[in-house]
């Protein structure tokens, strides 16, 4: 079935509606240009020479295409090692989100837990606490547990995200309770209802959270640089910050080339899974 937009064909016949619609389209085009221009500029600068990058006025397209800069950028730092570390952190964070936050949200949403409403509002209030205020307590706790320089320094905090918890909980609230009641009549336990009913029906929200978790693991450099002490365990963003952004002897063209290579995967992942993001965010919007 064809989806209908905000304005119908009859609405667009009115001059005022056409003017407003044209203004909206113009704003979208300008926004798209302002977001795509830095990415395109990074890619083309990565294919130039240093002299051409520093010329004034700057040129958008390179006069000569130096594709060998990709080889130089790939071999400058150990990108496969840092990529593996980033993917391990992403995988562990995703598992903790599904198991810990998923079970917690299911218990609050579908099981009559004592003081569940009070627990829900307590978790809701933690959203008003700035993340920077509990960064030091998290670091101290992990240090006392001996978990610094390990992947658990990322996996354990991932199981305490209030925002992800609220998204999952409100998504579970939207599932018809008759489904779980029928499962209980058939003798299914609460864990069986979670694994065989709630999880399969919640693929859109967990797919969306996977994108958010991937973006966080891919872009975060401060927390990994704080808890990881050895180079072989650096994430990709931390390695880029330490060895590329702050490198003074590295050619600017190679810098731009490396930055472009690390830009592409998140964009590709978002384009592939954007339908899950739009669908699940609308379905799991926090109800007032």
């Amino acid at each position: 079935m064809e989806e209908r937009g905000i304005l119908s064909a009859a609405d667009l016949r009115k001059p005022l509606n056409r003017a407003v619609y044209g203004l909206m389209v113009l704003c979208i085009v300008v926004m798209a240009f302002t977001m795509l221009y830095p990415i395109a500029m990074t890619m083309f600068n990565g294919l130039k020479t240093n002299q051409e990058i520093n010329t004034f006025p700057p040129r958008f397209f390179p006069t000569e295409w130096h594709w060998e800069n990709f080889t130089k950028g790939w071999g400058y730092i150990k990108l496969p090692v840092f990529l593996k570390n980033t993917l391990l952190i992403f995988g562990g964070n995703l598992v903790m989100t599904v198991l810990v936050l998923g079970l917690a949200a299911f218990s609050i949403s579908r099981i009559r837990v004592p003081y569940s409403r009070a627990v829900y509002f307590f978790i809701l209030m933690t959203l008003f606490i700035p993340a920077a205020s509990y960064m030091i307590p998290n670091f101290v706790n992990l240090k006392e547990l001996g978990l610094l320089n390990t992947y658990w320094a990322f996996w354990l905090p991932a199981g305490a995200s209030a925002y992800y918890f609220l998204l999952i909980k409100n998504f579970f609230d939207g599932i018809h309770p008759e489904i779980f009641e029928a499962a209980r009549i058939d003798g299914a336990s609460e864990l069986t209802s979670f694994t065989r009913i709630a999880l399969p029906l919640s693929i859109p929200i967990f797919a969306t959270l996977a994108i958010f978790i991937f973006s966080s693991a891919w872009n975060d450099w401060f927390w990994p640089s704080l808890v990881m002490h050895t180079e072989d365990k650096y994430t990709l963003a931390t390695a880029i910050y330490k060895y590329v952004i702050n490198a003074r002897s590295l050619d600017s063209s190679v810098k731009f080339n490396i930055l472009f290579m690390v830009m592409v995967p998140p964009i590709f992942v978002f384009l592939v899974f954007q339908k899950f993001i739009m669908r699940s965010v609308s379905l799991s919007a926090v109800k007032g």
Side-chain angles (χ1 to χ4, degrees):
M1 186 172 114
E2 184 179 357
E3 295 184 1
R4 183 183 181 277
I6 299 176
L7 299 176
S8 64
D11 295 331
L12 289 176
R13 295 192 185 101
K14 300 177 181 179
L16 181 60
N17 289 343
R18 286 202 303 269
V20 173
Y21 183 77
L23 183 61
M24 292 173 60
V25 172
L26 179 62
C27 292
I28 293 173
V29 171
V30 172
M31 290 175 61
F33 176 79
T34 56
M35 288 183 286
L36 294 177
Y37 178 80
I39 300 175
M41 197 65 182
T42 303
M43 179 185 69
F44 292 131
N45 282 344
L47 298 174
K48 299 176 183 177
T49 60
N50 285 338
Q51 292 77 12
E52 192 173 3
I53 291 176
N54 297 321
T55 56
F56 187 84
R59 300 187 183 96
F60 186 72
F61 295 103
T63 55
E64 295 183 3
W65 301 78
H66 294 272
W67 299 100
E68 69 275 6
N69 289 343
F70 279 102
T71 305
K72 294 179 181 178
W74 183 265
Y76 177 74
I77 58 177
K78 297 181 289 186
L79 285 178
V81 175
F82 303 135
L83 177 61
K84 180 201 70 173
N85 297 336
T86 304
L87 294 179
L88 283 175
I89 293 171
F90 159 70
N93 290 353
L94 182 60
V95 171
M96 292 294 290
T97 301
V98 174
L99 294 182
V100 178
L101 296 180
L103 287 171
F106 183 77
S107 63
I108 297 294
S109 176
R110 292 303 174 190
I111 304 175
R112 295 181 179 178
V113 179
Y115 306 105
S116 60
R117 192 171 183 83
V119 173
Y120 174 74
F121 281 109
F122 175 78
I123 296 175
L124 184 64
M125 286 189 296
T126 61
L127 290 175
F128 296 92
I129 302 175
S133 63
Y134 52 79
M135 184 174 294
I136 295 178
N138 278 345
F139 178 82
V140 173
N141 290 334
L142 292 171
K143 182 179 180 181
E144 292 179 351
L145 292 172
L147 297 178
L148 293 181
N149 207 36
T150 66
Y151 295 118
W152 287 103
F154 303 91
W155 296 343
L156 285 182
S161 174
Y163 177 68
Y164 293 167
F165 169 83
L166 293 176
L167 285 180
I168 301 170
K169 189 264 180 187
N170 284 278
F171 193 92
F172 286 160
D173 289 344
I175 301 177
H176 294 292
E178 292 82 4
I179 300 176
F180 299 101
E181 292 174 1
R184 292 190 188 98
I185 293 173
D186 291 338
S189 63
E190 301 299 344
L191 184 59
T192 302
S193 298
F194 173 75
T195 56
R196 296 192 178 184
I197 299 177
L199 278 183
L201 293 176
S202 304
I203 290 178
I205 185 62
F206 284 114
T208 300
L209 293 182
I211 304 303
F212 292 161
I213 295 169
F214 176 81
S215 176
S216 177
W218 192 271
N219 297 324
D220 187 19
W221 65 270
F222 182 74
W223 181 251
S225 63
L226 194 64
V227 298
M228 291 299 191
H229 303 152
T230 58
E231 178 183 343
D232 291 338
K233 291 190 176 181
Y234 282 165
T235 62
L236 192 60
T238 304
I240 294 298
Y241 175 76
K242 287 182 175 290
Y243 304 131
V244 178
I245 302 299
N246 291 335
R248 298 183 178 180
S249 60
L250 182 62
D251 293 344
S252 298
S253 58
V254 179
K255 283 186 179 182
F256 280 109
N257 200 279
I258 296 174
L259 293 176
F260 175 72
M261 285 192 291
V262 300
M263 282 181 183
V264 172
I267 297 173
F268 178 76
V269 170
F270 174 80
L271 292 176
V272 172
F273 294 100
Q274 61 175 329
K275 61 180 180 179
F276 291 107
I277 297 177
M278 306 306 174
R279 185 192 313 168
S280 61
V281 169
S282 62
L283 291 176
S284 61
V286 178
K287 303 177 180 63

